Amino acid sequence: MTKFLFLSFFILLLGFSAFFVSSCDPDNSCTEITWYEDAEGDGLGNPSVSLDSCEQPEGYVTDNSDTDDTNGSNTLHEAFSEFDSENFIIYLDGNEVVIESNGWPNHTSPYWSNTTERVAIDPMGNTLITPAASENHPLFVEPTATTYEDMAPGNIDDFNGSYTLRVPTNPSTATNSSATGLGPIGIAISGAMIYNDEEGPNVPLDNAVVSLDYTAAHTGPQSYHYHLEPKAWSDDDNKLIGIMSDGFFIYGRRDYDGNYPTDLDESGGHFGPTLHNPDGEYHYHIQNETFLGQYYIIFPGDFQGTPNDIQ
Ligand SMILES: [Zn+2]
Ligand SMILES: [Zn+2]
């Protein structure tokens, strides 16, 4: 009996302390303040979208002076609607736009994994085997422009990484142009990368043309990339090709009005209207000059803006 009373008292005491801890703990108190949504990320909040919270919610600020939070200078450019929604994540971060891609193209290619084993010899004389998969990838097509013998080693879906490019929302041309380098120099709307007119250090593209698929791309040390006009979606037209690492968009050989532009600079760029901006902006075109008599190099020139890393 005594033991039982003692136990009851003890339980009661526990209950009381729990009650006191939960209701009177001074650390649980906080001062709620009002936060305003900053959809553009410019530091100015929208006075008509607010919430009260102790901690700053993601995308909210204390300022409430933004009279136009959605149609300011920092909205996502209309052209980004053409980028493949499965392969990309594109968002604004302050005065920059962040473009993240998984590096995979949204179209068919013989470079998707398939049931044919390929053997290639690299320039050092090493044998590189691309093993046969148990089944063809749904986007795999038989090589037509290239052959199994000429194809580069590796498949598109071997690449299991991502690429990120950060560019200003309103890029400007630089005082001096800068040369492109090996590796990605731009990102195509398909999800795959754009390379320049060199295949490697002291390896001209001429040596690698036989390995390009019907859309002028092949796998490389890192991933699938285009060197020439990407026929999968652009063939002598005005389609959007992608974005170069200096933040300027690149279009097909024809201008918004269907004519070949006549005022291009040495990088294939000019200021003028595009399909996505009737007011005009600086943009590049694939130049209407043949390479090896039949191809069109996407970007053989220098950047006219300031290039950013694609990594
Ligand atoms: Zn290449
Ligand atoms: Zn143009």
Side-chain angles (χ1 to χ4, degrees), residues 254-256 261 264 270 272-274 283-285:
R254 291 175 188 266
D255 222 342
Y256 71 103
L264 298 180
H270 69 164
T274 70
H283 59 280
Y284 299 113
H285 285 277

Side-chain angles (χ1 to χ4, degrees), residues 7-240:
L7 203 63
S8 312
F9 178 72
F10 186 69
I11 288 168
L12 208 64
L13 200 68
L14 266 181
F16 265 114
S17 43
F19 174 76
F20 274 106
V21 167
S22 63
S23 63
C24 301
D25 183 358
D27 292 342
N28 267 8
S29 67
C30 79
T31 311
E32 286 197 334
I33 58 171
T34 304
W35 302 91
Y36 301 90
E37 188 182 37
D38 177 19
E40 293 169 337
D42 62 358
L44 305 179
N46 182 349
S48 55
V49 183
S50 69
L51 52 83
D52 295 337
S53 163
C54 301
E55 306 266 327
Q56 181 173 15
E58 177 88 25
Y60 282 73
V61 293
T62 51
D63 178 272
N64 66 350
S65 66
D66 200 340
T67 50
D68 188 355
D69 194 39
T70 49
N71 293 314
S73 56
N74 278 349
T75 50
L76 211 49
H77 195 290
E78 177 70 24
F80 287 115
S81 63
E82 306 262 0
F83 286 63
D84 185 78
S85 58
E86 300 242 313
N87 292 343
F88 283 98
I89 298 169
I90 301 174
Y91 59 93
L92 291 168
D93 183 15
N95 292 320
E96 293 181 320
V97 53
V98 184
I99 303 142
E100 293 175 4
S101 170
N102 60 13
W104 290 8
N106 62 356
H107 56 68
T108 61
S109 170
Y111 279 102
W112 287 103
S113 56
N114 58 81
T115 56
T116 303
E117 182 188 271
R118 303 202 302 276
V119 179
I121 312 290
D122 77 4
M124 313 295 287
N126 302 309
T127 302
L128 302 169
I129 294 177
T130 305
S134 57
E135 57 181 357
N136 289 335
H137 186 280
L139 288 172
F140 167 78
V141 289
E142 291 288 333
T144 48
T146 181
T147 63
Y148 286 116
E149 290 71 36
D150 288 329
M151 283 171 70
N155 292 317
I156 293 169
D157 33 334
D158 292 343
F159 183 70
N160 188 24
S162 64
Y163 287 100
T164 302
L165 169 64
R166 265 178 186 271
V167 297
T169 47
N170 292 303
S172 46
T173 50
T175 315
N176 299 307
S177 62
S178 39
T180 60
L182 298 172
I185 62 167
I187 304 184
I189 60 169
S190 67
M193 299 299 117
I194 296 170
Y195 276 39
N196 68 10
D197 58 349
E198 288 178 278
E199 179 52 18
N202 305 314
V203 183
L205 186 57
D206 309 41
N207 296 11
V209 159
V210 291
S211 71
L212 297 174
D213 64 13
Y214 74 94
T215 188
H218 58 182
T219 49
Q222 285 194 67
S223 67
Y224 185 77
H225 54 266
Y226 311 93
H227 287 281
L228 311 173
E229 184 176 59
K231 305 279 191 209
W233 74 93
S234 180
D235 186 359
D236 191 18
D237 55 33
N238 60 11
K239 302 255 178 66
L240 180 65

